[in-house]
Amino acid sequence: MDLVIYNTLSRKKEVFKPINEHHVGMYVCGPTVYGDGHLGHARPAITFDTLYRYLMHLGYKVRYVRNITDVGHLEHDADEGEDKIAKKARLEQLEPMEVVQYYTLRYHHAMERLNVLPPSIEPHASGHIIEQIEFVKKILDAGYAYESEGSVYFDVEKYNAKHHYGKLSGRNIDELLETTRELDGQTEKRRSIDFALWKKAAPEHIMHWPSPWSEGFPGWHLECSTMGTKYLGETFDIHGGGMDLMFPHHECEIAQSVAALGHESVHYWMHNNMITINGQKMGKSLGNFITLDQFFTGNHPSLNQAFSPMTIRFFILQAHYRSTVDFSNDALAASEKGLQRLFEAYGRLMRLTPAENSSVDVKGLRERCEEAMCDDLNTPIVISHLFDSAKAINLVADGKETINAEDLKELQNTWKLMVEEILGLKSEEGSSSVNEAYHQAVDLLLNIRMEAKKNKDWATSDKIRDELAKIGFVVKDKKDGFEWSL
Ligand code: ZN
């Protein structure tokens, strides 16, 4: 089965063919570390984590690079204003790298709770200043940039005369020239759409490095072109990120690579859609800016309750990554219930005992799930296949249907693969090994009780049942054994 993914650049689904048969290079724009780890960070992390997991499942060796933007910069215009990390550090008298470390650790902690696997390489922009300066030199040598008062700008108009600036986001330069205003203090740029490759640092700017042009710092778009090609080669397979980064960030990355290297670097551009909260865009000024920690603790005025990391992950995977996702208390509560049902069925499946014959048709689940994953990572369809299969599992568990050993093994393996390894969902009762040990311990007690009943040792049998009931276990006796739930 071929993996098909939607390539933003060609605007169509394409069969994924890596440059090297066995290796995949994947770059995803990571977080800017200032500010709190918020919900917006969760979606690209989970989307590309799922892709990472699936590529490895298909047998590829994947080098996954996800950067940390720690050279400050404003979110939408890297050219202006004081670097946010620098500002916070100046106000609180911290080393800038203290601020970076604080947010990086918080981000990692949130990612771990969301069961997002760490990337293979997590480069910091601040650790690649020399490489970025070299990249600027290449663009200058190629004639696509100019120096102005200690800063270096990319000459968009000159680039566009030969190449298409705006090809990724489907814009053209005339429309961009019309919509970009000239801003005060930007007179050193030739055109409003030119973007900074290197910026001379203002005196209050405390993060700066020496360069041939000035004491300054690199433009935001540059770090991804530089670090992507440094670790994955001049051309590599996949570049991902949120849709909000398509313009100008990724557009500028393409222009920088073409200017410096003479060709584009990326074969497949992939973008996850955005998250809204109660139908609104998320933003600090709208008062609906909720951090991941606030979701996990429920500590925010617009949340009715806490939502666990796995509920957040499941909720995000219930939508296709290219559709929007709207967060609301009701939708999250529904996901919480759905996830619970999924794990109940999973738990029952792992405890089923096989019969001689199968009366349920459980074949083909794995193929159907793989088909959905291969169709541009259609995780909501995978989840619906699992819920369909949960119906059969529940019927067998209730004694209404039977399943033979071979079908049971296949079903258990498919659930484990899809639920845990590919969707990256885990039971929140504890780690799976603890969970397993706990189930085995309860089973052990109930087997001792069966022995006792056989020996007419009613005292022991009743004691085990009553004590388990006190803790909250419901034990049902069955013809050939028992069933329990908590
Ligand atoms: Zn980036």
Side-chain angles (χ1 to χ4, degrees), residues 39 83 86 94 111 150 237 261 271 274 300-301 314 376 431 437 446:
L39 191 59
D83 176 314
L94 298 166
M111 290 303 115
D237 300 300
L261 310 170
H271 293 93
M274 305 315 287
H300 189 278
F314 186 61
D376 196 27
S431 73
L446 290 171

Side-chain angles (χ1 to χ4, degrees), residues 27 29 67 224 239 249-250 253:
Y27 187 94
C29 290
N67 67 308
C224 292
H239 192 316
H249 186 51
H250 293 158
E253 274 190 51

Side-chain angles (χ1 to χ4, degrees), residues 78-92:
D79 297 350
E80 297 161 76
E82 188 181 2
D83 176 314
K84 286 199 181 171
I85 290 175
K87 189 173 179 189
K88 189 170 169 62
R90 187 169 53 78
L91 293 175
E92 298 180 17

